[in-house]
C-alpha cells in the first residue's frame, strides 16, 4: 500500500471519528471530558495533515545513501596549542576558574 493510499484512508477514518465525536457531543453536551475528546480529535487531524505535508520529505529520507570509498587523511601531528587557547571543556568548566 502506498503512502498516498494510507494517508487517504487515514483521512477517511478521521472523518468518521469526527462525525462520531460530534454526535457524542450533541448527546452528552459540552462537558470537560467531551471538550478533551473534541480537542484530541482535532489534534489528530492536524498531525495527520502535517504528516501529509511532510510525506515527500519522508520518502526522500528512505532513499539509499551512497558512501564514497574516499578516505580523508587525518594527520598525527599535534594541533597548534594556540588553537585551543581560551576554550573551556564542555561539562568540566574552565581550566583557570577557582
Amino acid at each position: 500500500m502506498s503512502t498516498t493510499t494510507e494517508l487517504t484512508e487515514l483521512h477517511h477514518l478521521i472523518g468518521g471519528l469526527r462525525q462520531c465525536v460530534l454526535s457524542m457531543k450533541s448527546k452528552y453536551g459540552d462537558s470537560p471530558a467531551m471538550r478533551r475528546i473534541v480537542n484530541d480529535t482535532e489534534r489528530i487531524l492536524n498531525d495527520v495533515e502535517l504528516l501529509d505535508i511532510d510525506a515527500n520529505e519522508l520518502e526522500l529520507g528512505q532513499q539509499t545513501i551512497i558512501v564514497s570509498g574516499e578516505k580523508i587523511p587525518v594527520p598525527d601531528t599535534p594541533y597548534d596549542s594556540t588553537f585551543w587557547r581560551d576554550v573551556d571543556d564542555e561539562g568540566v568548566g574552565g581550566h583557570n576558574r577557582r
Side-chain angles (χ1 to χ4, degrees):
M1 184 181 290
S2 73
T3 304
T4 305
T5 305
E6 291 167 341
L7 287 172
T8 302
E9 181 180 357
L10 193 53
H11 278 286
H12 175 72
L13 292 170
I14 291 172
L17 175 64
R18 289 179 79 191
Q19 288 177 343
C20 182
V21 167
L22 290 176
S23 174
M24 288 176 61
K25 185 177 178 182
S26 67
K27 182 176 180 179
Y28 295 110
D30 192 31
S31 67
M34 201 65 237
R35 282 194 300 268
R36 282 194 303 272
I37 292 173
V38 169
N39 287 339
D40 289 345
T41 304
E42 292 302 317
R43 184 181 46 81
I44 290 170
L45 177 62
N46 290 338
D47 288 345
V48 170
E49 287 174 354
L50 289 173
L51 177 64
D52 201 1
I53 291 169
D54 293 340
N56 290 332
E57 290 180 21
L58 290 174
E59 289 173 5
L60 291 175
Q62 294 176 355
Q63 294 179 352
T64 305
I65 298 173
I66 300 172
V67 179
S68 71
E70 179 185 356
K71 295 183 179 182
I72 301 171
V74 177
D76 290 334
T77 58
Y79 289 108
D80 182 13
S81 61
T82 59
F83 179 77
W84 299 105
R85 185 179 25 191
D86 298 329
V87 176
D88 291 339
D89 291 333
E90 279 189 33
V92 178
H95 292 289
N96 298 326
R97 294 188 188 161
R98 292 196 175 137

